[in-house]
Amino acid sequence: MNPNAVYQKCIHADCGATCDVGDVHVACPVCGELLDVVYDWSKLPVPARLADFAARWAGRANPLDFSGVWRFRELLNFCDDRCRVTLGEGQTLLTPNAGVGRYVGLKDGGLFLQYEGLNPSGSFKDNGMTAAFSHARLVGARRVACASTGNTSASLALYAAHAGMQSIVFVGSGRIAFGKLAQALDYGALTLQIAGDFDACMRRVKEAAKRLGLYLMNSVNPFRLEGQKTIMLRVLEALAWQAPDWIVVPGGNLGNSSAFGKAFGELKELGLIDRVPRLAVINAAGADTLDRLVNQKKLRWNGGQYDKAALAEDWAWQDRTHRLPHTIASAIEIARPVNAAKCLRALSICDGVVRSVSDAEILDAKAQVGRCGLGCEPASAASVAGARRLVEEGVIDRDARVVCILTGHALKDPDATVGYHTGRFAPGKEVEGPRNFANLPVQVDDDIDAICRAVGE
Ligand SMILES: *Cc1c(COP(=O)(O)O)cnc(C)c1O
Ligand SMILES: [Zn+2]
């Protein structure tokens, strides 16, 4: 047992090596598996009840109380206030949505959308970046880097600009939605467009980080996940601390789902909740590694003794078969999810399930979220499409309370949205399918009679 109140620990039960909170590792220095941030709660101040956090609302003049992440700082207490980097992230919204609820097939009042697009850079990634940048400041990092399908780079570039650090982002050439690329450039990141997909960028950024001493901000960084735990705290808060029946989240690199599982595991351990919601992680059909690992290969967490070799075998099989991920939901176009093992733990803690949905289902669900008055980017709508699938299957009860996480803002990927509504997708991004809720723009002559006819007299 590490004598410190907070330390890092290898997640594989056969290893369990520990290191200090101020060490910088992207993997266990002993066995190469993922690291966790671990708290010895007996040595840390923890509130008696979750409802006690509500008092922080009155202190909103303090940026740490204003932040929807640091408001819960006792539950991610790995650095002191001086290190904490915040941009007021986490001012997000949990809202019931009757229209999307009907689409999903739930009884009235059962469906809630947690809209993380309201974060400063427009996606949930800010929850993680505020935490990882705080760790970067703790260890004195000056240059930070990540590989990204888009939102991680946007968020990293924003926080680096705010914190006065230099940012370097690795993106797959032509694989990043325009809104996200625009952000990385605007926030001043050195933007490297690598001829390859996300998984290639991930490999390269790890090598470059090692050689150049860059601080790596991908979700292999365990501190990011600490920040992302607070998405669940805000969901609970908005539901008056009553856990919903289901949390449904899109799965890419599986950082979010992993963080959610960790949050619920810790809250249960602390006695701050008595019931853990079930978790559904939704892959895109064109990037369905987790679905395959869990549902076909029956991979399980197994008390931390998960089968490492099975993961390596799947990666090798992808190599041999030249299998590449392909989905319109670019944020989850990932074939080798770095947090797969942690996600297995989350599925175990939350009695979770995994499904994959087609691009056509994703875009239909996205159009429903827009038409029902909120909007999101394609990957986010996988949660809604997945919930609908699970209700159809009878896995989710019609009278359940279900929270779908909308991970990113509607304006992140305008090409996909316009492609869906007009039927003219960008080259290489075509989606086959009925486009059930397409809202075609109408061409009208510059003539008032024609315009009035088009509007409907
Ligand atoms: C990053 C991202 C995801 C995937 O989240 P993971 O934690 O990598 O599973 C989903 N949706 C959006 C909008 C994202 O930016
Ligand atoms: Zn280890």
Side-chain angles (χ1 to χ4, degrees):
M1 185 80 169
N2 193 299
N4 300 320
V6 190
Y7 52 96
Q8 302 184 66
K9 183 172 186 217
C10 174
I11 65 164
H12 202 286
D14 291 346
C15 175
T18 66
C19 52
D20 283 353
V21 71
D23 290 353
V24 181
H25 295 294
V26 296
C28 170
V30 176
C31 76
E33 295 295 293
L34 294 166
L35 290 170
D36 238 355
V37 181
V38 177
Y39 305 90
D40 178 350
W41 300 111
S42 70
K43 297 181 180 149
L44 293 163
V46 181
R49 303 171 318 141
L50 283 174
D52 293 349
F53 283 118
R56 294 260 160 84
W57 283 96
R60 289 163 74 80
N62 172 359
L64 293 177
D65 285 356
F66 179 76
S67 164
V69 171
W70 298 109
R71 204 142 50 75
F72 301 104
R73 52 192 172 270
E74 284 78 4
L75 299 176
L76 55 152
N77 216 346
F78 59 82
C79 65
D80 65 27
D81 286 359
R82 277 167 314 166
C83 292
R84 289 179 176 137
V85 175
T86 179
L87 256 174
E89 56 288 321
Q91 309 305 316
T92 58
L93 177 72
L94 181 94
T95 176
N97 192 301
V100 175
R102 271 193 297 278
Y103 180 68
V104 166
L106 292 171
K107 293 213 178 114
D108 272 1
L111 185 110
F112 300 82
L113 298 171
Q114 170 71 14
Y115 188 34
E116 289 293 317
L118 293 175
N119 276 292
S121 82
S123 83
F124 78 82
K125 298 295 196 301
D126 295 348
N127 292 284
M129 283 302 160
T130 186
F133 271 84
S134 300
H135 185 252
R137 186 166 274 176
L138 173 79
V139 303
R142 312 175 73 96
R143 292 199 293 179
V144 296
C146 72
S148 179
T149 61
N151 281 331
T152 302
S153 59
S155 181
L156 172 133
L158 176 60
Y159 277 83
H162 174 71
M165 296 182 202
Q166 192 196 344
S167 58
I168 303 144
V169 304
F170 291 54
V171 298
S173 200
R175 287 171 185 272
I176 165 172
F178 232 55
K180 306 176 187 181
L181 178 61
Q183 287 180 287
L185 299 175
D186 215 30
Y187 304 140
L190 170 61
T191 304
L192 304 178
Q193 296 187 294
I194 311 285
D197 62 2
F198 172 82
D199 300 296
C201 291
M202 191 67 229
R203 263 194 306 277
R204 293 303 184 198
V205 76
K206 278 187 181 166
E207 290 168 7
K210 197 164 179 187
R211 196 183 296 182
L212 301 172
L214 312 175
Y215 182 94
L216 190 67
M217 288 276 179
N218 277 100
S219 53
V220 289
N221 180 324
F223 295 93
R224 259 193 52 201
L225 303 198
E226 292 307 295
Q228 288 169 215
K229 292 191 306 194
T230 64
I231 300 170
M232 290 302 103
L233 292 163
R234 297 198 299 275
V235 164
L236 290 173
E237 180 183 52
L239 295 173
W241 310 109
Q242 297 299 309
D245 297 308
W246 285 89
I247 302 285
V248 190
V249 63
N253 251 328
L254 306 175
N256 233 7
S257 45
S258 297
F260 296 176
K262 187 169 189 280
F264 289 119
E266 290 173 352
L267 291 175
K268 192 86 205 300
E269 183 193 338
L270 286 166
L272 292 171
I273 52 171
D274 43 38
R275 196 170 62 83
V276 169
R278 295 190 69 186
L279 180 68
V281 184
I282 311 300
N283 276 165
D288 61 350
T289 303
L290 184 72
D291 185 8
R292 180 171 64 250
L293 292 173
V294 169
N295 293 322
Q296 287 177 31
K297 303 197 173 165
K298 308 288 179 206
L299 210 61
R300 294 293 180 271
W301 170 244
N302 194 23
Q305 287 178 313
Y306 57 91
D307 186 353
K308 300 197 252 191
L311 285 173
E313 255 165 47
D314 191 87
W315 279 209
W317 170 79
Q318 292 183 37
D319 278 340
R320 275 200 310 281
T321 55
H322 305 288
R323 198 181 163 89
L324 292 175
H326 185 78
T327 167
I328 190 77
S330 55
I332 53 175
E333 190 177 56
I334 293 170
R336 296 155 196 246
V338 299
N339 287 299
K342 283 187 178 176
C343 183
L344 295 177
R345 175 175 65 185
L347 292 169
S348 151
I349 291 171
C350 301
D351 188 16
V353 300
V354 181
R355 292 292 183 276
S356 34
V357 292
S358 71
D359 280 8
E361 287 174 274
I362 287 174
L363 290 186
D364 271 354
K366 177 174 129 52
Q368 282 292 307
V369 174
R371 187 171 286 194
C372 296
L374 207 52
C376 63
E377 68 166 280
S380 311
S383 62
V384 172
R388 180 179 155 93
R389 179 77 75 79
L390 288 164
V391 170
E392 239 168 52
E393 287 180 15
V395 175
I396 296 182
D397 271 358
R398 285 187 192 282
D399 52 11
R401 297 216 308 170
V402 177
V403 176
C404 290
I405 311 298
L406 298 182
T407 45
H409 199 278
L411 292 176
K412 288 281 191 174
D413 190 352
D415 288 338
T417 306
V418 174
Y420 174 84
H421 288 294
T422 61
R424 286 191 296 278
F425 289 99
K429 302 274 179 198
E430 297 82 1
V431 175
E432 301 292 329
R435 300 191 295 115
N436 287 311
F437 311 106
N439 177 24
L440 279 164
V442 181
Q443 297 298 324
V444 191
D445 287 340
D446 182 11
D447 172 85
I448 187 63
D449 294 328
I451 289 169
C452 289
R453 270 197 306 281
V455 172
E457 318 246 357

